[in-house]
């Protein structure tokens, strides 16, 4: 996106450099990166960065307004509503497509957002290794708002620990060592010092939770939650049964509380009015379907990893949906073929990380990840047979 930097990067790229880069990335936790890593970062100029952040801050205005919890009160399905919700989420991730408007200008367009963690710890390592193997120009950083690797890591640690000792805080996931994102779990242990615990390993005694370490019970006082309930509902009956303990009144703190996964989600999109947020409506609130349905995408509010999304929408697709209150119709955006590669250009999506420390009035933008695609769907699972696609990161002009 910065032509001179892109030209320099591509001219100096070699397959040997890329393989050395991958070997280094994998050296920290061999075999833990199951997704494809792209050959290149994304370079973003200051003007585009400011557009992205202006959209994020506008959405934060909605999330921090006095009535947001009322607006989002119906976002949480009754069967996954968890007690003891706190005042705000600790993390938000905003996903933007790098798009082309009707004037053929590049602009960000919000695709989704989530009040939930993402690859926060892995991206520290990702940036470090990328800088070792590729020529990243001075004045460009993966971090936002003046954060450095050190200050970012410190804030991440403070938010996750919340003043507790690391052994009393756990990263909780379902079968964590089988997850495609497990590299981030292991990096979280490296940088924050907390253990990775599977849901099946939890021991409940009344309102207290414990896990075993070297055969001894250790009390869980705070949970860095990585469990998505939509995923939990796809698991075996025994794991689903174990998961019911999460819905009980427990003497633990959550970071972030599971309810915020639903409050800050696709459910929030219809409440936002911003030029970089595509027009979105709840399906059951549409009196007359648009004549140009081909320009819309149909999304279920509750789904795991993008499943159920209908890109080429027809009237028949909509008519067969019984629970229309659980779906949104979103104006389709045009991803730009913006990243020049040795064959065809790639599309790109940016995920902006926001951290919200308790006691602060607003969350703050800290870091990012990027994903490159040459297919219809953005995401590492959809581009297995292509090159210059996959997980990446953006470097922003400071």
């Amino acid at each position: 996106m910065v032509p001179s930097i892109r030209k320099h990067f591509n001219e100096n790229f070699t397959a040997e450099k890329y393989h050395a880069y991958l070997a280094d990335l994998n050296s920290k936790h061999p075999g833990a990166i199951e997704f494809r890593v792209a050959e290149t970062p994304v370079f973003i100029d200051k003007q585009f960065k400011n557009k992205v952040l202006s959209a994020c801050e506008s959405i934060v205005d909605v999330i921090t307004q006095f009535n947001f919890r009322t607006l989002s009160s119906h976002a949480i399905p009754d069967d996954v509503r968890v007690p003891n919700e706190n005042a705000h989420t600790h993390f938000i991730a905003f996903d933007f497509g790098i798009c082309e408007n009707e004037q053929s200008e590049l602009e960000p367009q919000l695709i989704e957002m989530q009040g939930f963690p993402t690859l926060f710890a892995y991206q520290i390592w990702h940036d470090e290794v990328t800088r070792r193997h590729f020529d990243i120009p001075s004045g460009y950083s993966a971090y936002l708002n003046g954060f450095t690797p050190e200050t970012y890591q410190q804030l991440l640690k403070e938010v996750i620990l919340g003043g507790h000792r690391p052994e009393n805080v756990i990263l909780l996931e379902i079968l964590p060592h089988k997850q495609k994102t497990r590299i981030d779990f292991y990096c979280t242990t490296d940088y924050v010092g907390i253990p990775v615990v599977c849901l099946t390993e939890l021991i409940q005694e009344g309102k207290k939770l414990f896990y075993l370490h070297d055969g001894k019970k250790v009390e869980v006082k705070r949970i860095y939650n990585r469990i998505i309930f939509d995923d939990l509902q796809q698991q075996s009956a025994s794991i689903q049964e174990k998961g019911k303990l999460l819905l009980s009144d427990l003497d633990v703190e959550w970071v972030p509380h599971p309810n915020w996964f639903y409050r800050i989600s696709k459910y929030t999109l219809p409440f936002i009015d911003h030029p970089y947020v595509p027009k979105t409506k709840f399906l059951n609130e549409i009196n007359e379907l648009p004549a140009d349905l081909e320009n819309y995408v149909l999304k279920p509010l509750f789904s795991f990893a993008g499943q159920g999304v209908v890109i080429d929408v027809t009237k028949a697709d909509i008519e067969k949906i019984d629970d229309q209150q659980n779906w949104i119709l979103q104006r389709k955006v045009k991803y730009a073929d913006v990243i020049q590669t040795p064959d065809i250009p790639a599309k790109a999506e940016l995920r902006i990380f926001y951290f919200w420390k308790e006691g602060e009035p607003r969350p703050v933008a800290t870091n990012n990840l990027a994903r490159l695609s040459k297919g219809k769907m953005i995401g590492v699972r959809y581009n297995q047979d292509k090159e210059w696609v996959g997980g990446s990161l953006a470097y922003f002009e400071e």
Side-chain angles (χ1 to χ4, degrees), residues 262-283:
Y262 295 101
R263 288 189 183 278
I264 300 174
S265 65
K266 292 187 284 283
Y267 187 93
T268 319
L269 295 175
F271 300 110
I272 298 165
D273 182 19
H274 191 278
Y276 303 142
V277 179
K279 297 298 181 188
T280 306
K281 289 190 175 181
F282 294 111
L283 194 55

Side-chain angles (χ1 to χ4, degrees), residues 191-243:
Y191 296 125
V192 181
I194 64 174
V196 176
V197 176
C198 180
L199 170 67
T200 61
E201 298 168 344
L202 288 176
I203 301 165
Q204 184 179 10
E205 294 182 3
K207 295 177 67 172
K208 292 189 179 297
L209 291 181
F210 301 85
Y211 70 97
L212 292 178
H213 177 68
D214 292 338
K216 294 181 180 179
K217 283 193 307 186
V218 181
E219 185 177 353
V220 177
K221 296 185 177 179
R222 191 168 168 92
I223 296 173
Y224 179 38
N225 182 47
R226 303 300 291 265
I227 291 179
I228 295 174
F229 281 93
D230 297 335
D231 182 24
L232 177 58
Q233 291 169 347
Q234 309 300 315
Q235 302 300 320
S236 67
S238 62
I239 291 178
Q240 289 190 52
E241 185 63 29
K242 182 76 175 186

Side-chain angles (χ1 to χ4, degrees), residues 12 16 53 63 96 133 196 205 240 282 288 349 371:
N12 288 276
E16 291 75 21
L53 291 179
I63 293 167
F96 289 90
H133 291 267
V196 176
E205 294 182 3
Q240 289 190 52
F282 294 111
E288 186 175 340
E349 194 168 275
R371 293 181 292 186

